[in-house]
Amino acid sequence: MKKLFFSLFLISMSFFLGAEQVIKNGFVFEIEDDYAILTGYSGSEEKLSVPGTINKIPVKKIGEKAFSGNRLIKTISLGPNVVEICDEAFAGCENLTTVYIRNIDENHIFGKNCFYGSDKARVRFVPYESKVAKISNPPERETMVFVEGNDKVKSFYMDKFEMDEKTYQKIMDNFDAEGFFPCYAYIYEAIIFCNKLSLSEGRTPCYSFAKTTNPDEWDGSRFMWLTTKWSDSDGMIHRAEGFKCDLNADGYRIPTQEEWLYAARGGKNPNSFKYAGADDLNEVAINSNVANQVQKGGRMAPNKLGIYDLSGNLSELCFLGMDGEKPLFGYFGGNLDRFHPDAEKKNMRIDSEAVYEKTEFTDHTFRRGFRVVCTAN
């Protein structure tokens, strides 16, 4: 009812302002010179399909707060001409699960908080002609985005969100966490999680230790602290004896450095943005200018692949490879750091000046954020 009144209000305002308004199938459109904006919806359908044109004029924008607070919508197909989703367009759409959209590229613009509060679904973008359908054994996680590879990086799936605490605690069989805030983990915790998540879906785990991929069979004390040796020149060096990572297995894992940067920069057709999705940090990254603490995933605009928070929020673990028996890890993307704004801005870059730091496998000083990937076999 409120939506109906809102739509009538828009019509009445158009009479005074001179803007042309068109209502069709519950959709409210505002006609500009050569394109139309969808500004509201007064219907009650759960599955919606936005037309490509209205009165032969292309529908290019989903207006500010167009569907805000709608608790009925579950899926929506955006017309083939839509290239911009304005601020809070789908904010608070608690039951929205899927947005069908053309392959996201540099021409698409996402406003602030487009899907803020749509936490039940963790909204996913599915291209009309989805390449996912051509790949065998796609992951069950609905938040995984297919990233087409090139001659140097194999195709893979990447979670569009940093791993959230609720999923993490469920898989790790720990206490129940509320909400979908990104979680922190030590490297060994993230590895255990990846293998357990893989096993829960019947996928082949990527990580093995002491010749087994089942974390329940690992010697916890040995795996957590592993072994150490001393070197007069380097001091204490940590080694992971018996640790292996099979990048060809179809299970979940931490992305490699190459995969993380490849996705952050836009995949097969990269852009030259300083940050993941824009040159303006405040458009795409949770940083000290927009928040005082870590936020739920999806608040800011995604990059061209539909992946969120690759710059900002939490720094993310990546796998750098093996140095003999020693696994090397690092982290990219920077983290919200209101006490060091200059370093924060520098660390969140993903271009040629991207900053990463190496960290020991046995680092128990800091927990990091992370997101999962899996190989597209």
Side-chain angles (χ1 to χ4, degrees):
M1 185 62 71
K2 289 182 179 179
K3 281 289 182 180
L4 177 60
F5 284 129
F6 179 69
S7 299
L8 293 174
F9 171 76
L10 290 175
I11 297 172
S12 63
M13 288 298 294
S14 67
F15 177 80
F16 293 104
L17 298 177
E20 182 181 354
Q21 297 280 343
V22 177
I23 296 181
K24 184 176 181 180
N25 297 327
F27 294 116
V28 182
F29 299 94
E30 180 178 314
I31 309 300
E32 299 291 339
D33 292 337
D34 57 355
Y35 67 91
I37 305 173
L38 196 164
T39 58
Y41 176 69
S42 60
S44 58
E45 298 295 323
E46 294 181 350
K47 297 181 179 180
L48 297 178
S49 180
V50 176
T53 61
I54 187 72
N55 295 345
K56 297 183 180 181
I57 298 175
V59 179
K60 292 188 176 183
K61 291 184 180 182
I62 306 299
E64 183 175 337
K65 298 184 178 180
F67 295 91
S68 179
N70 190 310
R71 299 181 180 179
L72 298 176
I73 303 173
K74 292 184 178 179
T75 64
I76 185 167
S77 297
L78 302 184
N81 298 314
V82 171
V83 293
E84 182 173 355
I85 301 177
C86 298
D87 295 356
E88 301 182 34
F90 295 94
C93 294
E94 297 177 354
N95 291 302
L96 181 62
T97 60
T98 308
V99 175
Y100 292 93
I101 190 171
R102 291 175 69 95
N103 289 315
I104 300 173
D105 58 27
E106 62 273 8
N107 295 318
H108 284 82
I109 300 173
F110 293 84
K112 295 181 180 179
N113 303 332
C114 292
F115 299 94
Y116 189 65
S118 303
D119 294 329
K120 179 178 180 180
R122 305 307 301 279
V123 178
R124 59 174 175 161
F125 294 103
V126 180
Y128 284 119
E129 298 177 357
S130 177
K131 296 182 177 65
V132 173
K134 302 178 183 178
I135 305 299
S136 62
N137 195 23
E140 291 182 16
R141 287 182 58 77
E142 294 184 344
T143 55
M144 300 296 284
V145 173
F146 177 73
V147 181
E148 184 179 3
N150 58 16
D151 57 344
K152 295 182 179 180
V153 179
K154 293 183 179 179
S155 297
F156 60 96
Y157 295 93
M158 173 176 274
D159 201 321
K160 69 186 338 181
F161 298 106
E162 294 171 324
M163 183 50 58
D164 62 88
E165 57 186 11
K166 189 169 186 176
T167 302
Y168 180 83
Q169 299 297 354
K170 179 180 178 181
I171 294 298
M172 298 293 273
D173 197 25
N174 291 338
F175 65 88
D176 292 330
E178 297 181 359
F180 290 98
F181 283 90
C183 68
Y184 300 83
Y186 294 127
I187 298 173
Y188 76 86
E189 291 174 327
I191 287 174
I192 291 174
F193 171 84
C194 287
N195 273 25
K196 286 192 171 186
L197 181 61
S198 300
L199 291 170
S200 73
E201 292 188 12
R203 308 178 78 85
T204 303
C206 297
Y207 302 109
S208 62
F209 180 67
K211 298 182 179 181
T212 178
T213 59
N214 186 351
D216 293 335
E217 298 177 4
W218 294 345
D219 182 334
S221 61
R222 285 187 62 230
F223 181 67
M224 288 171 60
W225 296 105
L226 305 175
T227 59
T228 61
K229 69 177 182 180
W230 288 90
S231 167
D232 292 337
S233 60
D234 299 324
M236 189 171 71
I237 300 177
H238 298 285
R239 296 186 301 156
E241 292 181 343
F243 173 86
K244 293 182 179 180
C245 175
D246 183 359
L247 297 177
N248 293 317
D250 67 354
Y252 294 100
R253 54 182 172 80
I254 296 169
T256 65
Q257 173 184 354
E258 292 77 16
E259 289 170 334
W260 194 96
L261 285 172
Y262 183 77
R265 292 169 178 169
K268 192 172 183 179
N269 298 303
N271 50 45
S272 58
F273 293 138
K274 294 179 182 179
Y275 307 102
D279 283 324
D280 184 353
L281 184 65
N282 296 329
E283 289 184 18
V284 295
I286 298 295
N287 65 89
S288 56
N289 290 329
V290 299
N292 291 322
Q293 61 184 7
V294 172
Q295 300 291 309
K296 296 180 182 179
R299 176 177 174 181
M300 309 303 285
N303 75 347
K304 64 182 294 185
L305 298 177
I307 303 175
Y308 294 86
D309 302 318
L310 286 163
S311 289
N313 224 13
L314 292 181
S315 57
E316 300 180 16
L317 290 169
C318 61
F319 180 54
L320 304 181
M322 298 290 292
D323 180 10
E325 293 182 329
K326 179 183 178 181
L328 303 177
F329 290 84
Y331 46 94
F332 273 100
N335 59 282
L336 187 150
D337 185 355
R338 56 194 176 94
F339 298 107
H340 305 91
D342 291 338
E344 173 192 65
K345 191 172 183 179
K346 178 181 178 182
N347 292 338
M348 291 182 182
R349 294 185 67 149
I350 55 90
D351 58 4
S352 60
E353 297 189 28
V355 174
Y356 78 92
E357 295 187 42
K358 292 182 180 180
T359 183
E360 292 286 357
F361 185 92
T362 51
D363 180 6
H364 282 65
T365 306
F366 297 105
R367 282 185 164 99
R368 314 291 178 189
F370 70 99
R371 71 179 73 223
V372 295
V373 299
C374 61
T375 301
N377 293 321

